[in-house]
């Protein structure tokens, strides 16, 4: 048999997985609260979803006298179709602005119209103009935060993939097992607290906007460690993204291109969408708001057109942009105009020619269920950012992810530091045996000589998710999909082949580990979607196409041994929750 | 209308942990004509060489982690259009981890040593910091630097002299331009070899974020001659 | 007048790296000037310095030939003009002047070539 792989052990107070803004903000907060922090980045630290955001930052700055944090909170809950965790939504609304000032303190300059007056724009679904911005801010935000981490001497480990959180016999976090991909070496971080900030699950879908590394690792790891997932059935799809070249397919085109003058004036008209017959097909779906409808309605409308054969040859529909917003768009997000130029052409870049667009998986609305301080139900396990669920409910406001990751990243860091201080160091032998066993199991793949390549399985899962657990869902199809997932788990996963045997940066090995995570979340999503017998926000079912007030509730998913438990629970409105059990066993 | 084309890629392979010298492996890839170099690399990995080591994440030119050398020119693999013949190599002058992936540890160490956070003499006011809109816009543009290292790789002065590189000059200039920063960024630039810059603008030409590190150096040199830095 | 778009940077491997051309040209022309000065000083010393009377006649074996080649004049004048103009442009850019690095190079090469070609016309 193969010998036990070596596992290098070290200790820390807080282990953070994820180098996006949530992870980085948690690292800053944890460090400033006095804890020793280690941050793991699955690839180079700049490879994260935050980086890709060209979007905006919703906050009540006071520059719009009509706006209040209460209004922002109400917008958040209304957009989330009332199933948000109301406490979290309120925290987001009230703390967003202070975190914006923090970013400015770090060196980010918010766009201004005057020396002390921020530039603001509208966001889809918001009531008042409140959204701040900083030119192509995802890059700026990650850069200023990285330098803040350098200033604090916080250790960031590139190419370190979190593989599992090890829970001790006392039911508390004992540490985290990670794989140093740059050397093929296992590491166990003995620590009382772990913060999951690994982002979302965009890679679960055939066409997605997020980065290649977002395979939902942290969410799956938390699920396996005993945490609950909430709202995992909700995946936000952006209606418009690039159709070609292949590398850019699925990358979001963002609001201004689509909303046109609506970006500044809530009563203006959005850019028209036409199919290959030149028809404005959205009018069939939402004759009132037309192309100004919500993201989910538009995404579905476009998807249906493409599925029914009325799309362009490359697989999209056409958006007829409003060239009036060109200069504003150019100023706010020059990189997007650049991409339009490079991917499509000058006419499209000037917003003067039709732009090919298609829907794409953008944001994981659900995730690890957390409380106001980012605690999951496993003591010592925290989650923040896209990996956490409950803040946004069934549909996220554009511009709310940026403040979410700052607000909850900070809370996670602070709370984890306090807990680490209170708990003290983890006993020496705790968790090591489990870590070694897990590492050993995952070494198996490296020695397989025959089987299926991970990339084939990943594509299969991505196609199933896109076709049946994506924009358009139905009970029978999801049942069938769950069956297929079961078969993949039972027969395919144990027989994966890894071609190359180098331990250094073995992508196939990484993908084989990711596959386990993808499958865990795919099953959770399908199961939760099956339970929710209605249509709400991003979750649309052809067999239950209407909103059901009885379903103003959340679906919780947790592991029960090898099976998944899916149950309905009342929305958290700072009242005592009531549970109704409805077990759905996943095929083991 | 897009069509299918076949391209030839010679990819540099090397595993430092194994015996054997670096060598080039030839691949033919067929795909849509708008393919980027990254699409070619991914196709090779998916269909021909499952043991290829390469790096990418965002694939839309925002993370900067996919930089490689194509036909001798450092570029972002996800942005550069594929060519009929391509020689694809890891980004010089960085140590190679394996195949096309380089080790950026020293890059981060250099950034850390430069202390690229505003060295404040007073705390942030907790309300909009007084910054001229034009200055804010300029800061945002400096912020766009991806730290991709394409400029450092292409810089002839980095190859020949004791010069950290254009990227570091740009970030130092970013801080120098920030109203809340009080550090002597000119001194730091000089220490990092700013005077070695040839003022050739190769970095400007190759920057995937449309920035000009050479202009940052020129701004520093002008400051060196005429003064005009912030009072200490 | 339309607002300028960002650049299309998806064909960076095609075409020339302008800065490389500029740098190499500046070096080569600088080298030419240095060589010229050395040769000129040596030749003049050989022709006029009493101490070098022994080698004075040998200068006549190569100097007139060199001086009658049109390309020698062309290369020399091109080098002088290019190196000076480009050098001035570098200094000016560091004093605050703004140049388009492509346009300024081609203009300077053009002017230098004109002067070089004029020499060809004179000596051909």
């Amino acid at each position: 048999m193969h010998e036990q792989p070596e596992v290098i052990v070290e200790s820390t107070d807080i282990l953070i997985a994820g180098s996006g803004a949530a992870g980085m903000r948690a690292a800053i907060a944890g460090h400033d609260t006095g804890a020793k922090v280690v941050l793991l980045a699955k690839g180079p630290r700049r490879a994260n979803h935050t980086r890709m955001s060209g979007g905006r930052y919703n906050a009540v700055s006071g520059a719009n006298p009509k706006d209040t944090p209460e209004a922002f909170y109400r917008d958040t809950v209304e957009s989330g179709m009332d199933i948000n965790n109301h406490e979290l939504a309120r925290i987001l609304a009230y703390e967003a602005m202070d975190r914006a000032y923090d970013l400015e303190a770090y060196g980010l300059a918010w766009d201004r119209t005057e020396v002390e007056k921020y530039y603001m724009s509208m966001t889809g679904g918001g009531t008042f103009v409140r959204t701040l911005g900083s030119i192509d801010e995802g890059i700026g935000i990650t850069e200023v935060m990285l330098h803040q981490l350098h200033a604090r001497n916080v250790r960031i480990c590139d190419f370190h993939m979190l593989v599992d959180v090890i829970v001790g016999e006392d039911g508390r976090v004992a540490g985290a097992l990670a794989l140093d991909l740059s050397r093929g070496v296992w590491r166990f971080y003995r620590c009382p607290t772990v913060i999951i900030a690994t982002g979302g699950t965009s890679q679960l879908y055939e066409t997605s906007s997020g980065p290649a590394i977002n395979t939902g690792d942290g969410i799956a790891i938390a699920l396996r460690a005993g945490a609950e997932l909430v709202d995992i059935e909700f995946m936000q799809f952006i209606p418009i993204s690039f159709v070609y070249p292949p590398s850019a397919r699925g990358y979001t085109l963002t609001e201004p291109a689509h909303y046109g003058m609506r970006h500044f004036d809530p009563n203006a008209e959005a850019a028209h969408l036409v199919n290959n017959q030149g028809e404005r097909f959205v009018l069939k779906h939402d004759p009132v708001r037309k192309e100004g409808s919500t993201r989910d309605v538009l995404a579905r409308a476009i998807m249906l057109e493409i599925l029914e054969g009325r799309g362009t040859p490359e697989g999209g529909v056409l958006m007829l942009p409003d060239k009036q917003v060109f200069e504003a768009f150019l100023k706010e997000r020059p990189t997007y105009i650049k991409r339009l130029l490079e991917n499509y052409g000058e006419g499209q870049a000037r917003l003067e020619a039709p732009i090919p667009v298609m829907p794409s998986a953008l944001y994981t609305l659900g995730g690890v269920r957390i409380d106001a301080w980012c605690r999951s139900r496993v003591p010592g396990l925290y989650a923040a950012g896209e990996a956490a669920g409950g803040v946004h409910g069934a549909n996220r406001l554009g511009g709310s992810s940026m403040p979410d990751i700052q607000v909850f990243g900070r809370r996670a860091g602070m709370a984890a530091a306090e807990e680490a201080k209170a708990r003290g160091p983890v006993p020496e032998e705790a968790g090591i045996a489990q870590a070694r066993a897990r590492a050993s199991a995952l070494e198996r793949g490296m020695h397989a000589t025959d089987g299926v390549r991970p990339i084939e399985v990943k594509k299969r899962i991505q196609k199933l998710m896109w076709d049946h657990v994506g924009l358009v869902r139905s009970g029978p199809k999801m049942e069938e999909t769950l069956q297929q997932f079961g078969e993949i788990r039972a027969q395919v996963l144990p027989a994966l082949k890894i071609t190359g045997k180098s331990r250094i940066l073995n992508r196939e090995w990484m993908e084989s580990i990711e596959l386990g995570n993808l499958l865990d979340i795919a099953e959770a999503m399908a199961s939760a979607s099956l339970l929710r017998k209605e249509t709400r926000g991003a979750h649309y079912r052809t067999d239950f196409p209407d909103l059901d007030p009885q379903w103003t509730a959340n679906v919780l998913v947790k592991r029960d041994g090898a099976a998944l438990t899916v149950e309905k629970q009342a929305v958290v409105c700072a009242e005592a929750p009531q549970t109704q059990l409805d077990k759905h066993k996943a095929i083991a | 209308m897009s069509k299918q084309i076949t391209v030839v890629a010679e990819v540099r392979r090397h595993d430092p942990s194994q015996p054997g010298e670096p060598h080039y492996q030839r691949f033919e890839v067929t795909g849509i004509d708008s393919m980027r170099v990254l699409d070619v690399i991914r196709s090779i990995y998916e269909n021909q060489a499952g043991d290829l080591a390469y790096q990418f994440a965002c694939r839309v030119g925002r993370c900067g982690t996919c930089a490689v050398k194509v036909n001798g020119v450092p570029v972002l693999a996800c942005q550069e259009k594929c060519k009929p013949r391509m020689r694809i190599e890891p980004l010089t002058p960085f140590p190679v981890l394996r195949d096309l992936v380089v080790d950026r540890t020293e890059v981060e160490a250099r950034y850390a040593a430069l202390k690229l956070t505003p060295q404040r003499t007073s705390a942030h006011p907790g309300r909009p910091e007084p910054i001229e809109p034009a200055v804010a816009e300029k800061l945002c543009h400096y912020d766009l630097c991806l730290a991709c290292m394409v400029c450092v790789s292409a810089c002839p002065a980095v190859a020949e002299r004791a010069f950290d590189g254009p990227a570091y000059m740009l970030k130092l200039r970013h801080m120098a331009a920030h109203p809340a920063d009080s550090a002597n960024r000119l001194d730091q630039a000089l220490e990092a070899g700013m005077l070695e810059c040839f003022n050739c603008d190769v970095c400007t030409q190759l920057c995937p974020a449309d920035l000009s590190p050479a202009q940052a150096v020129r701004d520093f040199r002008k400051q060196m001659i005429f003064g005009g830095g912030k009072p200490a | 007048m339309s607002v300028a778009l960002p650049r299309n940077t998806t064909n960076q491997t095609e075409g020339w790296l302008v800065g490389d051309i500029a740098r190499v040209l500046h070096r080569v022309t600088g080298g030419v000037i240095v060589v010229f000065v050395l040769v000129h000083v040596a030749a003049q010393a050989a022709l006029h310095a009493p101490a070098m009377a022994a080698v004075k006649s040998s200068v006549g074996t190569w100097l007139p030939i060199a001086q009658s080649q049109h390309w020698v004049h062309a290369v020399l004048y091109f080098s002088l003009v290019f190196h000076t103009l480009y050098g001035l442009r570098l200094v000016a850019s560091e004093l605050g002047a703004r140049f388009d690095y492509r346009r300024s190079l081609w203009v300077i090469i053009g002017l230098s070539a004109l002067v070089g070609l004029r020499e060809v016309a004179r000596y051909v």
Side-chain angles (χ1 to χ4, degrees), chain A residues 67-79:
Chain A
D67 196 19
T68 60
E70 271 306 296
F72 182 13
Y73 157 72
R74 277 196 303 273
D75 281 342
T76 304
V77 172
E78 195 190 305
S79 174

Side-chain angles (χ1 to χ4, degrees), chain B residues 36 70-71 73-75 79-81 83 156 160-161 198-202 204-208 210 215 218-219 221-222 225-226, chain C residues 6-20 22-23 27 86 89-91 93-99 101-102:
Chain B
R36 301 294 163 87
V70 176
N71 294 339
V73 181
V75 293
Q79 291 306 106
E80 188 68 12
K81 292 202 161 111
K83 306 288 175 283
E160 284 182 24
R161 308 274 174 88
F198 293 143
N199 200 349
C200 72
D201 278 306
V202 165
T204 309
Q205 182 171 352
L206 291 179
C207 175
D210 295 343
Q215 188 57 46
R218 289 188 282 264
D219 291 341
R221 287 177 176 177
K222 186 174 169 201
I225 296 166
F226 294 120
Chain C
R7 302 180 307 155
N8 182 331
T9 48
T10 56
N11 283 303
Q12 302 288 63
T13 57
E14 282 175 16
W16 296 314
L17 286 176
V18 174
D20 277 348
R23 177 175 53 94
R27 272 197 196 175
Y86 192 74
R89 170 236 180 275
L90 285 180
V91 172
S93 72
E94 289 166 12
L95 296 176
R98 290 284 178 138
F99 297 100
Y101 63 87
R102 274 175 215 268

Side-chain angles (χ1 to χ4, degrees), chain A residues 98-383:
Chain A
D98 281 337
R99 299 292 79 75
Y101 291 136
D102 287 349
L103 280 171
E104 199 166 68
Y106 297 159
L108 185 79
W110 295 110
D111 295 337
R112 286 156 163 71
T113 50
E114 289 163 38
V115 172
E116 288 181 52
K117 195 157 179 218
Y118 293 141
Y119 161 87
M120 295 185 299
S121 58
M122 271 299 283
T123 184
T127 313
F128 298 116
V129 179
R130 67 167 68 97
T131 309
L132 306 182
S134 174
I135 298 173
D136 275 324
E137 66 178 1
I139 299 167
I141 288 182
T142 46
E143 286 298 319
V144 300
M145 294 182 82
L146 277 170
H147 291 296
Q148 288 293 324
L149 290 176
H150 277 314
R152 289 166 174 75
N153 230 341
V154 171
R155 201 163 123 234
I156 304 177
C157 304
D158 286 355
F159 293 114
H160 280 58
M161 176 180 182
L162 179 72
V163 169
D164 257 322
V165 165
I166 309 292
V167 176
E169 277 157 19
D170 56 356
R172 317 183 78 111
V173 166
L177 176 67
L179 179 58
D180 175 355
L181 292 163
S182 69
R183 273 176 275 262
V185 163
W186 292 100
R187 290 187 182 279
F188 178 67
Y189 296 89
R190 188 191 297 123
C191 55
T193 59
V194 171
I195 302 180
I196 302 283
T198 51
T201 62
S202 6
Q203 287 303 301
L204 208 49
Y205 290 91
E206 198 175 67
T207 306
S208 68
S209 185
I213 51 161
N214 274 20
T215 47
D217 298 342
I219 301 177
I221 289 168
L223 179 66
R224 291 197 294 269
E228 280 173 330
L229 304 184
V230 67
D231 295 344
I232 198 67
E233 67 272 28
F234 292 101
M235 186 75 194
Q236 185 167 62
F237 289 81
I238 192 90
I240 55 165
S241 70
F242 283 97
V243 180
Y244 55 87
S247 56
R249 190 177 174 91
Y251 183 50
T252 172
L253 266 160
T254 76
E255 228 102 79
H258 156 227
Y259 270 24
M261 285 310 286
R262 237 179 122 85
H263 188 54
F264 301 105
D265 171 12
N267 298 312
E269 214 177 60
H272 294 180
L273 291 162
V274 298
N275 59 20
N276 62 9
Q277 318 283 322
E279 302 165 334
R280 281 176 70 187
F281 54 89
V282 177
L283 303 183
K284 285 186 295 205
H285 300 266
D286 192 341
V288 175
R289 292 178 299 186
K290 307 180 208 169
E291 282 92 348
S293 188
T294 52
R295 284 174 169 181
D296 43 297
V297 171
L298 290 167
R300 269 194 294 278
I302 299 174
M303 176 83 159
L304 288 168
E305 286 307 292
I306 297 171
L307 284 174
E308 288 167 19
R310 290 186 294 275
T312 63
E314 290 88 5
V317 295
L318 289 173
M319 179 174 74
L320 308 176
D322 184 348
K323 67 178 188 222
Q324 285 180 83
V325 285
F326 165 65
E327 287 197 35
F329 198 17
L330 177 64
K331 203 154 189 215
E332 263 185 40
R333 304 174 213 201
T335 315
Y336 279 92
I337 298 285
K338 191 172 152 77
R339 297 294 170 256
L340 281 169
L341 171 70
E342 293 165 343
N343 295 342
Y344 290 152
E346 190 171 336
Q348 286 84 356
R350 291 191 181 280
L351 301 185
E352 288 168 4
I355 295 177
V357 297
M358 66 181 296
S360 166
L362 175 72
Y363 185 83
T364 310
L365 291 157
V368 181
R369 187 172 185 227
I370 55 170
D371 67 5
W373 287 96
C374 298
R375 287 182 282 245
S376 73
R377 71 170 191 165
V378 177
L381 186 61
Y382 294 75

Side-chain angles (χ1 to χ4, degrees), chain A residues 112, chain B residues 131-139:
Chain A
R112 286 156 163 71
Chain B
I131 303 178
E132 289 290 330
V135 173
E137 194 177 329
K138 199 148 194 251
L139 294 176

Side-chain angles (χ1 to χ4, degrees), chain A residues 412-471:
Chain A
M414 289 171 71
E418 294 293 347
E419 181 172 343
K421 215 183 298 180
R423 261 188 75 187
V426 172
E428 257 197 44
E429 281 315 300
I432 298 233
Q434 283 154 280
R436 290 219 157 92
R438 185 80 172 113
S440 214
L442 289 170
E443 283 280 332
R444 217 189 324 141
M446 277 293 269
H447 306 284
T449 47
D450 202 21
V452 187
R453 289 189 61 209
I455 188 79
E456 310 296 329
V457 189
K458 183 164 157 181
K459 287 189 171 171
R460 199 175 145 200
I461 296 177
Q462 287 176 330
K463 182 146 176 46
L464 282 168
M465 289 299 288
W466 181 256
D467 288 343
H468 304 306
V469 197
L471 276 164

